[in-house]
PDB file of all heavy atoms in Angstrom:
ATOM      1  N   HIS A  95      10.422   2.932  28.960  1.00 96.00           N
ATOM      2  CA  HIS A  95       9.892   1.585  29.162  1.00 96.00           C
ATOM      3  C   HIS A  95      10.997   0.545  28.948  1.00 96.00           C
ATOM      4  O   HIS A  95      11.168  -0.373  29.759  1.00 96.00           O
ATOM      5  CB  HIS A  95       8.722   1.349  28.200  1.00 96.00           C
ATOM      6  CG  HIS A  95       8.239  -0.054  28.129  1.00 96.00           C
ATOM      7  ND1 HIS A  95       7.081  -0.472  28.732  1.00 96.00           N
ATOM      8  CD2 HIS A  95       8.765  -1.151  27.509  1.00 96.00           C
ATOM      9  CE1 HIS A  95       6.904  -1.763  28.508  1.00 96.00           C
ATOM     10  NE2 HIS A  95       7.912  -2.199  27.768  1.00 96.00           N
ATOM     11  N   GLU A  96      11.750   0.688  27.861  1.00 94.00           N
ATOM     12  CA  GLU A  96      12.800  -0.294  27.582  1.00 94.00           C
ATOM     13  C   GLU A  96      13.898  -0.228  28.644  1.00 94.00           C
ATOM     14  O   GLU A  96      14.473  -1.254  29.020  1.00 94.00           O
ATOM     15  CB  GLU A  96      13.376  -0.064  26.176  1.00 94.00           C
ATOM     16  CG  GLU A  96      12.357  -0.187  25.046  1.00 94.00           C
ATOM     17  CD  GLU A  96      11.666  -1.540  24.978  1.00 94.00           C
ATOM     18  OE1 GLU A  96      12.219  -2.502  25.538  1.00 94.00           O
ATOM     19  OE2 GLU A  96      10.581  -1.637  24.401  1.00 94.00           O
ATOM     20  N   HIS A  99      13.031  -2.406  31.470  1.00 94.00           N
ATOM     21  CA  HIS A  99      13.371  -3.825  31.336  1.00 94.00           C
ATOM     22  C   HIS A  99      14.814  -4.077  31.776  1.00 94.00           C
ATOM     23  O   HIS A  99      15.117  -5.100  32.404  1.00 94.00           O
ATOM     24  CB  HIS A  99      13.176  -4.290  29.895  1.00 94.00           C
ATOM     25  CG  HIS A  99      11.746  -4.389  29.472  1.00 94.00           C
ATOM     26  ND1 HIS A  99      10.769  -4.928  30.276  1.00 94.00           N
ATOM     27  CD2 HIS A  99      11.121  -4.025  28.322  1.00 94.00           C
ATOM     28  CE1 HIS A  99       9.607  -4.894  29.636  1.00 94.00           C
ATOM     29  NE2 HIS A  99       9.785  -4.347  28.457  1.00 94.00           N
ATOM     30  N   TYR A 116       4.376 -13.770  24.757  1.00 67.00           N
ATOM     31  CA  TYR A 116       3.068 -13.177  24.455  1.00 67.00           C
ATOM     32  C   TYR A 116       2.226 -14.044  23.545  1.00 67.00           C
ATOM     33  O   TYR A 116       1.019 -13.892  23.506  1.00 67.00           O
ATOM     34  CB  TYR A 116       3.238 -11.818  23.775  1.00 67.00           C
ATOM     35  CG  TYR A 116       4.205 -10.911  24.468  1.00 67.00           C
ATOM     36  CD1 TYR A 116       5.412 -10.597  23.888  1.00 67.00           C
ATOM     37  CD2 TYR A 116       3.898 -10.376  25.712  1.00 67.00           C
ATOM     38  CE1 TYR A 116       6.303  -9.769  24.523  1.00 67.00           C
ATOM     39  CE2 TYR A 116       4.796  -9.554  26.355  1.00 67.00           C
ATOM     40  CZ  TYR A 116       6.002  -9.249  25.760  1.00 67.00           C
ATOM     41  OH  TYR A 116       6.887  -8.453  26.389  1.00 67.00           O
ATOM     42  N   HIS A 159       1.420  -7.495  22.218  1.00 76.00           N
ATOM     43  CA  HIS A 159       0.888  -7.211  23.556  1.00 76.00           C
ATOM     44  C   HIS A 159       0.534  -5.740  23.648  1.00 76.00           C
ATOM     45  O   HIS A 159       1.190  -4.897  23.048  1.00 76.00           O
ATOM     46  CB  HIS A 159       1.895  -7.581  24.644  1.00 76.00           C
ATOM     47  CG  HIS A 159       3.151  -6.756  24.614  1.00 76.00           C
ATOM     48  ND1 HIS A 159       3.295  -5.623  25.389  1.00 76.00           N
ATOM     49  CD2 HIS A 159       4.296  -6.871  23.917  1.00 76.00           C
ATOM     50  CE1 HIS A 159       4.495  -5.107  25.164  1.00 76.00           C
ATOM     51  NE2 HIS A 159       5.117  -5.837  24.280  1.00 76.00           N
ATOM     52  N   GLU A 173       5.931  -6.176  31.451  1.00 94.00           N
ATOM     53  CA  GLU A 173       5.582  -4.978  30.697  1.00 94.00           C
ATOM     54  C   GLU A 173       5.036  -3.879  31.610  1.00 94.00           C
ATOM     55  O   GLU A 173       5.297  -2.697  31.407  1.00 94.00           O
ATOM     56  CB  GLU A 173       4.577  -5.318  29.595  1.00 94.00           C
ATOM     57  CG  GLU A 173       5.085  -6.305  28.558  1.00 94.00           C
ATOM     58  CD  GLU A 173       6.352  -5.820  27.857  1.00 94.00           C
ATOM     59  OE1 GLU A 173       6.645  -4.606  27.890  1.00 94.00           O
ATOM     60  OE2 GLU A 173       7.060  -6.667  27.300  1.00 94.00           O
TER      61      GLU A 173
HETATM   62 ZN1   ZN B 524       8.374  -4.050  27.073  1.00 59.14          ZN
END
Side-chain angles (χ1 to χ4, degrees):
H95 170 104
E96 300 301 340
H99 289 317
Y116 312 111
H159 65 94
E173 298 302 341

